[in-house]
Amino acid sequence: MDESLEGVSPRIHALDLTARQFDMLAAAYGTAIDYRDLFSPQRDLPGRLRDWADKSGIRLRKLSTKARERGSRSEKVLFGLDDGYAIETVLIRRRDGMTACVSSQVGCAFACRFCASGQAGLKRNLSAGEIVEQVVRAGPKVNRIVFMGIGEPLNNYANVLDAIRILRDRRGMAFPTSGITVSTIGIPKALRSLREEHLAISLTISLHATTQEVRDRLIPGARKHALREVVAGALSWAQRHNRVVTFVYLVLPGINDTHADLQRLISMFSGRPARINLMRWNPVDSVDLAPTSDDRLGFFRQKLERAGVPVVVRDTQGRDIGAACGQLWLRDLTGIRIG
Ligand SMILES: C[S@@+](CC[C@H](N)C(=O)[O-])C[C@H]1O[C@@H](n2cnc3c(N)ncnc32)[C@H](O)[C@@H]1O
Ligand code: SF4
């Protein structure tokens, strides 16, 4: 992370600033505000903050709320961006707090067959500040963050890691990294870098196949990533950090749910620092796939359990408002889908 102010434009987004950069700006403009004030969850930001922003030419907020949709346990917020696109953030209520499911990119380059978010391709990366702002705007009840919205976080490595560092800074939001999960298709080079970071985050790998051929069909953008390198990179991260890595497996009838798949999953993960989350496909308009049956999911779960591989069946929240995993579309400012 470059902590100097070089190249920082006067219209910089306050939530892009590290505490050190803030100190330098505070010294240059003189201020009575504290770094923590930048992360104020209030809708009407305190006057002293607005005065400081006017004086220093800093933008306190960059996202504009375009729409909100409430479901039984989740809420979806459509945030407009400066360049005419709109991304979505999902808030999920839990018994002990709230989870913010944040977007990391404007669209996605990987074009997974089963997912809405990659249908328009990748337009650009979100900045660290645009990621942090999604959490700030979600309010103080958020105690978990999952990078499971639009985009592939490890394809925007620098900004996602900067966002995590800003979020966890004790002088700012002091968000515990143990409450942050990065979900990724597992880009091997980025996994090697992540292994060396001193960050106590959780890691989830979207695996979805046990052969290269099936994975290439399901995740066309990841064709150059060898499946065994993805798995080895994730397990190496787990060993280095003394953690368990979660592998997500979307069970798709007739595609990746054969007995041979089950056997390969068992031999890949038995005795490893890994757990498997079996998932059902959430429907996406104009995508010709079918969700698996409860029986098939139960069969996979039972066989994996018997082989000693930790496994859970995970059902995602938000299907009632099109906010479940993989159902978020890149949109324009009026909410019309792109892709
Ligand atoms: C939308 S992705 C974003 C994070 C990252 N790009 C990834 O693929 O892990 C979050 C999770 O949703 C899963 N997913 C995508 N489309 C889905 C769908 N239609 N039904 C269920 N899960 C889906 C992905 O495989 C991934 O585990
Ligand atoms: S599942 Fe993840 S990697 Fe695949 S298109 Fe959706 S957001 Fe991108």
Side-chain angles (χ1 to χ4, degrees), residues 5-24:
L5 281 175
E6 213 161 294
V8 166
S9 96
R11 292 303 289 157
I12 193 174
H13 185 191
L15 298 179
D16 260 318
L17 293 172
T18 63
R20 272 194 64 193
Q21 289 172 328
F22 169 80
D23 288 343
M24 286 185 254

Side-chain angles (χ1 to χ4, degrees), residues 234-236 238-239 242-247 269 271-275:
L235 291 174
S236 173
Q239 271 144 2
N242 205 14
R243 303 292 295 267
V244 171
V245 56
T246 301
F247 288 88
F269 299 118
R272 304 297 175 116
R275 74 169 76 82

Side-chain angles (χ1 to χ4, degrees), residues 101-102 104-105 108 110 112-117 147-154 182-186 204-208 219 248-250 252 279-284 287 289 314 316 319 324-328:
C101 173
V102 299
S104 57
Q105 295 185 301
C108 184
F110 291 91
C112 296
R113 216 184 122 195
F114 44 80
C115 174
S117 306
F147 281 85
M148 293 190 188
I150 300 173
E152 167 45 54
L154 294 194
V182 170
S183 172
T184 171
I185 53 157
T204 290
I205 303 287
S206 302
L207 185 70
H208 306 322
I219 312 181
V248 176
Y249 198 84
L250 202 54
L252 295 164
M279 278 188 54
R280 198 191 311 269
W281 180 65
N282 299 313
V284 173
V287 174
L289 288 170
R314 208 184 88 202
T316 47
R319 226 177 269 144
C325 268
Q327 292 186 319
L328 304 183

